[in-house]
Amino acid sequence: MLKTFVADGDLAGSITVKEYEGRYFPASVSDIPSQLKHMQSFDADDNDVIICSYPKSGFHWIWEVVTMLVNNTSNISKDFPAKYILEAGVRKVEQLPPPRVLGSHLYYEQLPVSIRLKNCKIINVIRDPRAIAVSGFHFFTKIKESKWTGSWAGYLNLFLNGKVLFNDWFQHTQFWERVRQNNPDNPIHVLFYEDAKKDPFYEFKRLARFLQLDVQDSTIRTIAEKTKFLNMKTSKDAAIRQRMGNVFTDNEYPLYRKGIEDDWKTYFTLQQNAEFEQIYKERMQYNKLQLKSIVNPGSLDTGCVETTKYESKL
């Protein structure tokens, strides 16, 4: 059913989502129960790869990179990454030959049983939640059915309370850490968005090694260059606008906005950032993986660190 969340107190803004079994989906998604039921019947191949992330964490970018690595090519795909997100519908994907590069914003237990039983390789992408909040804010101001017309402060309030698409970032990240700890034999690779932006060649080479692919360094360097923000935007904008434009205001899909990893700094006030960091430290204190930019503020380092002052008690 449709549910509208309103920002707390005198903060302006509201957002509309579609709720099913406690999960918040885009309002435009039709017949969620049927889609999720059919998704469970998806017959995964041993060689399929699935990218699992919270929304706005860089799925489209990493999908392009992994697709190029799997196909051992330096050419950007002409395909549309969003159609490979499982909860959006699997009927078309089922007809494609493996290996397929799939995606999902769901929890591990909600993925098709075949993916879990066959131990398909999973790439868990993690991004600074402040950047995710800013990206989501801009995304929702463009989407027609869920359109956000309020303030940045109002959206941040809902984000921190998990009243946005696919619920709470903190819970999502914690659940995936439990999956990694409780299933040590499952092939799950953690990719930190900020680290990939800082040193794409190194991170993409690690990806190729995880996927057990024999890709030449020269090809990986070309992939790193061709998947830079401006190159991707030029390559993909026309196709995406044609396929998804009618869902968004101005008939334009707001996927490639700036591609700057620390753009959140232009939106967060000092007080908002201090409050966000405090909430992060309270809610994530027992996580093994910690964001360096939050636990070590002021550091020029990026990504995550495993050994911090916070002891994991999962």
Side-chain angles (χ1 to χ4, degrees):
M1 67 175 181
L2 289 177
K3 176 172 284 190
T4 298
F5 295 118
V6 181
D8 292 342
D10 58 355
L11 297 174
S14 64
I15 196 167
T16 300
V17 298
K18 188 171 286 186
E19 181 184 22
Y20 178 69
E21 294 186 342
R23 300 285 285 160
Y24 306 143
F25 295 86
S28 58
V29 177
S30 61
D31 198 0
I32 294 173
S34 176
Q35 293 224 44
L36 293 183
K37 181 179 180 180
H38 186 73
M39 184 187 76
Q40 285 303 323
S41 67
F42 176 74
D43 185 20
D45 183 84
D46 294 342
N47 295 312
D48 285 339
V49 180
I50 179 165
I51 302 167
C52 295
S53 66
Y54 188 82
K56 314 309 295 178
S57 296
F59 164 74
H60 284 74
W61 176 39
I62 302 305
W63 184 91
E64 296 288 352
V65 172
V66 175
T67 297
M68 294 165 83
L69 289 173
V70 167
N71 292 297
N72 200 2
T73 179
S74 56
N75 296 319
I76 293 178
S77 169
K78 295 181 180 180
D79 218 334
F80 189 44
K83 86 175 189 181
Y84 291 90
I85 296 178
L86 293 172
E87 56 268 26
V90 299
R91 287 175 172 82
K92 291 184 178 179
V93 178
E94 287 175 319
Q95 301 170 13
L96 300 174
R100 295 159 292 200
V101 181
L102 311 170
S104 180
H105 301 312
L106 299 175
Y107 297 142
Y108 180 75
E109 294 79 7
Q110 297 170 308
L111 296 177
V113 176
S114 61
I115 286 178
R116 290 178 275 141
L117 291 179
K118 294 183 178 182
N119 272 351
C120 293
K121 289 183 174 64
I122 294 175
I123 300 168
N124 182 202
V125 184
I126 299 176
R127 186 184 187 185
D128 190 321
R130 293 168 296 190
I132 289 174
V134 169
S135 182
F137 167 67
H138 286 283
F139 187 82
F140 272 116
T141 61
K142 291 290 186 179
I143 193 168
K144 290 179 180 177
E145 290 197 43
S146 306
K147 186 171 175 60
W148 174 263
T149 56
S151 65
W152 153 245
Y155 182 83
L156 179 60
N157 169 256
L158 293 185
F159 180 84
L160 286 170
N161 285 287
K163 296 179 178 179
V164 291
L165 274 186
F166 292 94
N167 306 65
D168 184 57
W169 179 89
F170 299 95
Q171 188 178 64
H172 189 279
T173 305
Q174 289 167 337
F175 278 1
W176 271 101
E177 177 153 308
R178 290 189 180 95
V179 168
R180 296 193 300 272
Q181 292 187 356
N182 295 334
N183 302 273
D185 295 330
N186 282 25
I188 302 176
H189 175 84
V190 180
L191 176 72
F192 307 119
Y193 178 94
E194 283 76 18
D195 282 348
K197 291 286 287 187
K198 183 177 181 180
D199 192 346
F201 171 75
Y202 175 76
E203 294 300 328
F204 298 168
K205 188 167 183 174
R206 287 181 65 235
L207 265 179
R209 189 180 304 121
F210 166 73
L211 297 171
Q212 298 177 306
L213 300 172
D214 184 16
V215 183
Q216 296 293 319
D217 284 359
S218 58
T219 301
I220 295 176
R221 287 194 178 89
T222 305
I223 290 174
E225 180 64 30
K226 286 196 174 181
T227 56
K228 285 182 177 178
F229 176 78
L230 290 178
N231 294 336
M232 286 281 293
K233 180 177 175 64
T234 301
S235 175
K236 306 294 284 192
D237 255 1
I240 289 175
R241 189 179 300 114
Q242 181 180 5
R243 300 188 195 191
M244 292 290 290
N246 63 329
V247 178
F248 300 92
T249 58
D250 302 323
N251 293 324
E252 187 168 334
Y253 186 38
L255 176 60
Y256 302 105
R257 192 177 62 87
K258 284 190 175 181
I260 303 173
E261 58 266 32
D262 60 354
D263 184 48
W264 62 268
K265 294 178 181 178
T266 64
Y267 289 85
F268 275 78
T269 64
L270 291 176
Q271 181 179 347
Q272 286 174 340
N273 188 51
E275 292 173 350
F276 194 102
E277 288 183 355
Q278 184 59 37
I279 291 171
Y280 175 94
K281 291 175 182 179
E282 290 173 357
R283 296 196 60 184
M284 304 293 285
Q285 61 179 309
Y286 300 127
N287 266 52
K288 182 179 180 182
L289 294 181
Q290 297 288 341
L291 287 165
K292 295 175 184 175
S293 56
I294 293 180
V295 299
N296 297 315
S299 170
L300 296 178
D301 212 350
T302 60
C304 291
V305 63
E306 290 195 34
T307 305
T308 73
K309 62 183 177 181
Y310 307 112
E311 181 185 357
S312 176
K313 296 184 180 180
L314 287 176

